[in-house]
Amino acid sequence: MTDEGSDDATADEATVLVVDDEEGLADLYAIWLRDRYSVETAYDGEAALDALDEDVDVVLLDRQMPGVSGDDVLETARERGLDCRVAMVTAVEPELDIVDLGFDDYLRKPVDRETLLETVDRLLRRSTYDDAVQEYFAAARKHALLAESNDLNVTDTEEFDELEARLAELRDRLDDVVGGLDDEDYEVLFRQFSAEDGDDE
């Protein structure tokens, strides 16, 4: 693990852990991020597990790594009860197995600097929201990924139906908490609601 944070990092800076077995790519992500955040890098799953603690705010996590996979790292982080936001950054096309993964966002490589920065900013904002809002955004992201899948049979599965039911349940719980969202996330939430309403017509 390598600490990429600057010497003058303040105590209130967010910490981002970049995990990728392609060392050059992990280092590039760190360069993009380190002017804004305190950044650590891990080049395999075991190093990521060693680095994961309560100080990590956001994890950018590759899925396909030798030994301990990104999915394993994510599962362990959730088992430890760590309250960090996790974005999978991977070349792996999303399939039905993502329904049970506890990530907050999913980026498909290649990823540019602007997208990476926007993702970290967005996840840090969401970390301040009510748990139901966080879960809704994560479920909505999974729903969107699967709906866009090249496998047309995905949306005809029991898992997809259960995900849609969970989204509807979460939506019913959000009436009391949407007032705390910032404008960008409120717009995302509103668009999602509008899309669902359109599907129901």
Side-chain angles (χ1 to χ4, degrees):
M1 181 186 69
T2 305
D3 186 354
E4 298 286 349
S6 60
D7 292 336
D8 59 351
T10 59
D12 59 352
E13 274 189 315
T15 297
V16 179
L17 174 61
V18 178
V19 184
D20 202 304
D21 63 313
E22 295 184 51
E23 295 186 15
L25 190 57
D27 290 343
L28 177 62
Y29 292 165
I31 290 170
W32 288 349
L33 295 166
R34 66 185 177 191
D35 286 341
R36 193 175 300 184
Y37 311 107
S38 176
V39 183
E40 297 179 354
T41 53
Y43 302 133
D44 58 51
E46 289 188 10
L49 292 177
D50 289 340
L52 271 172
D53 57 27
E54 293 82 1
D55 294 329
V56 175
D57 300 291
V58 173
V59 183
L60 301 177
L61 182 60
D62 187 21
R63 287 190 74 181
Q64 282 188 328
M65 295 184 291
V68 180
S69 70
D71 292 2
D72 293 334
V73 172
L74 176 58
E75 182 179 1
T76 300
R78 296 314 184 205
E79 288 175 351
R80 291 180 183 175
L82 296 174
D83 190 28
C84 54
R85 308 275 65 79
V86 178
M88 310 303 280
V89 185
T90 177
V92 178
E93 287 294 320
E95 298 180 352
L96 280 173
D97 61 345
I98 69 170
V99 172
D100 295 322
L101 293 178
F103 62 78
D104 300 281
D105 208 341
Y106 196 104
L107 304 180
R108 281 168 284 190
K109 295 176 180 177
V111 177
D112 60 31
R113 179 179 182 274
E114 182 178 0
T115 299
L116 206 67
L117 288 169
E118 288 177 350
T119 298
V120 174
D121 286 345
R122 183 168 59 250
L123 293 182
L124 286 171
R125 286 198 309 273
R126 291 182 186 174
S127 68
T128 67
Y129 296 160
D130 181 274
D131 288 346
V133 177
Q134 293 184 35
E135 186 178 353
Y136 182 88
F137 277 118
R141 180 61 174 146
K142 293 174 183 178
H143 183 274
L145 288 165
L146 293 175
E148 296 167 359
S149 172
N150 293 327
D151 183 355
L152 300 180
N153 295 321
V154 164
T155 55
D156 294 327
T157 61
E158 180 179 349
E159 292 90 340
F160 190 81
D161 290 343
E162 290 175 352
L163 179 60
E164 289 198 318
R166 181 60 179 156
L167 269 175
E169 178 185 341
L170 288 167
R171 179 182 177 182
D172 290 340
R173 292 170 51 191
L174 293 184
D175 290 343
D176 295 332
V177 295
V178 292
L181 299 181
D182 68 9
D183 291 342
E184 181 179 343
D185 275 341
Y186 184 87
E187 183 179 350
V188 171
L189 200 62
F190 179 79
R191 285 202 305 267
Q192 178 69 23
F193 285 174
S194 298
E196 290 174 2
D197 288 340
D199 291 341
D200 292 340
E201 292 176 356

